Amino acid sequence: MELQALKTILLVRDLGSIAAAARSLDLDASKVSRVVSSVERELGLRLFQRSTRKLSTTDEGSRYLRRIAPLVQELEAAGVEAASQGGRPSGTIRLTASVAFVQEGILPVLPKFQDMYPELTVELYPADHNLDLLAEGLDLAVRLAAAPKGDLISTKLLTTRYRVVAAPDYLDKVKPVEHPVDLADLNCLCFAFPGFKKSWLFRTLGAKPFSVDVSGKTVIARLGMGAALLPDWLIGKDLKSGRLVDLFPDHECAAFDFETAAWILYPSRTYLPQKVRVMIDFLKAELGRAG
């Protein structure tokens, strides 16, 4: 039985449908369906119960797929390792991150990566919602959050610190801002993300954290239209140049959790392809150092 056929039926199981597996493999659903049928015919058992709405594994199929999964991973790993012996990483890396992180974090260092690994192609998928790595056929994701949960493997890229900032021109037009409670009188940038809409958190060394209710119209901090809660990796250059001012340098600030970071996530696999490994190491060296 071909390795690719076994990988295909495992993908159907993981994604829960033939259509999703076909999208991930960039194939017609009919071709994936034929692969499943061919494997079932060769085994002499039904792996999946299929209906117009739902696909589920049979008891026999579940036991079979559970047994072959680690074997398929080992065979795939052995093949990749043999192909990469003495060679440079090649192929395509598919990476997703927020639009802002792609623009401010990934794109500036991407030319250096491509100079180091000319045989690798990088496909970026900017998105401000979490894409499903398996369903979308992605190798890596960078996500900004507290410690990630779920089945994905994660490694910390950099610790993030949030700051409340505003443009000098805007501050010249409003009352002096001396304490976070003064934000109640300001126009604040309220993102359409959980935790950003209604209140921001603050704390100082040895003091109890407190929250401040915020509100505002659509604003852009750099254009002098209000105050914003933004991560340091996004605004570092603006703070240095004076285009933005840190309103509360003595306070830690957060939208919903003080312990946030940028994390690199990848599917839970027993073997990490060489191309993915070099990208992870590169991002940690470049962006982790900057952070």
Side-chain angles (χ1 to χ4, degrees):
M1 196 172 298
E2 293 184 0
L3 177 61
Q4 186 57 48
L6 297 178
K7 289 169 60 179
T8 298
I9 61 174
L10 286 169
L11 188 62
V12 171
R13 179 201 65 177
D14 292 341
L15 298 184
S17 78
I18 288 175
R23 287 194 298 271
S24 178
L25 296 170
D26 196 22
L27 296 173
D28 290 335
S30 59
K31 185 171 183 178
V32 174
S33 182
R34 287 196 296 272
V35 171
V36 172
S37 298
S38 175
V39 173
E40 289 179 329
R41 188 165 52 252
E42 186 168 348
L43 291 172
L45 60 87
R46 181 174 291 276
L47 298 174
F48 303 103
Q49 293 286 2
R50 298 187 281 279
S51 68
T52 56
R53 291 188 175 184
K54 186 178 180 182
L55 178 145
S56 60
T57 56
T58 63
D59 290 342
E60 298 85 356
S62 180
R63 287 194 293 270
Y64 177 76
L65 295 173
R66 187 168 58 249
R67 289 286 298 273
I68 70 166
L71 302 177
V72 170
Q73 290 177 332
E74 286 298 321
L75 285 170
E76 184 180 19
V80 173
E81 184 176 354
S84 64
Q85 288 295 323
R88 291 172 59 80
S90 60
T92 299
I93 298 175
R94 298 174 177 86
L95 184 153
T96 182
S98 69
V99 175
F101 198 89
V102 167
Q103 292 175 339
E104 300 292 333
I106 305 295
L107 289 179
V109 300
L110 192 56
K112 182 176 180 179
F113 180 81
Q114 293 182 321
D115 286 342
M116 293 173 62
Y117 302 103
E119 294 88 357
L120 281 174
T121 299
V122 180
E123 293 183 0
L124 297 176
Y125 295 80
D128 286 329
H129 61 282
N130 292 341
L131 299 179
D132 186 316
L133 270 65
L134 286 173
E136 301 292 340
L138 301 172
D139 297 298
L140 289 170
V142 177
R143 293 190 180 153
L144 310 169
K149 299 177 182 179
D151 296 330
L152 297 176
I153 303 300
S154 63
T155 181
K156 184 183 286 188
L157 177 56
L158 58 91
T159 299
T160 57
R161 179 184 175 188
Y162 280 80
R163 305 171 190 266
V164 177
V165 296
D169 289 346
Y170 177 75
L171 296 176
D172 290 340
K173 302 173 185 176
V174 298
K175 298 177 183 178
V177 181
E178 300 175 348
H179 190 273
V181 296
D182 297 329
L183 290 172
D185 299 322
L186 299 185
N187 193 35
C188 296
L189 174 56
C190 301
F191 293 105
F193 302 133
F196 276 89
K197 291 184 178 181
K198 296 182 179 179
S199 64
W200 296 339
L201 301 177
F202 298 89
R203 70 181 179 186
T204 55
L205 185 63
K208 184 179 179 180
F210 60 95
S211 64
V212 175
D213 292 338
V214 295
S215 62
K217 303 173 182 178
T218 302
V219 298
I220 303 175
R222 289 175 180 169
L223 297 185
M225 297 172 63
L229 177 67
L230 298 171
D232 45 13
W233 54 262
L234 181 61
I235 57 174
K237 294 178 181 178
D238 293 308
L239 290 173
K240 288 181 180 179
S241 68
R243 284 185 292 178
L244 290 177
V245 176
D246 186 352
L247 299 184
F248 313 114
D250 296 330
H251 287 75
E252 288 186 75
C253 313
F256 51 88
D257 194 317
F258 289 106
E259 307 304 324
T260 58
W263 301 86
I264 301 175
L265 284 79
Y266 48 95
S268 180
R269 296 172 181 163
T270 57
Y271 178 78
L272 193 61
Q274 186 186 23
K275 63 179 183 178
V276 177
R277 171 64 63 189
V278 297
M279 174 58 89
I280 292 173
D281 292 343
F282 175 81
L283 293 177
K284 291 175 71 174
E286 293 298 315
L287 303 184
R289 180 173 55 208

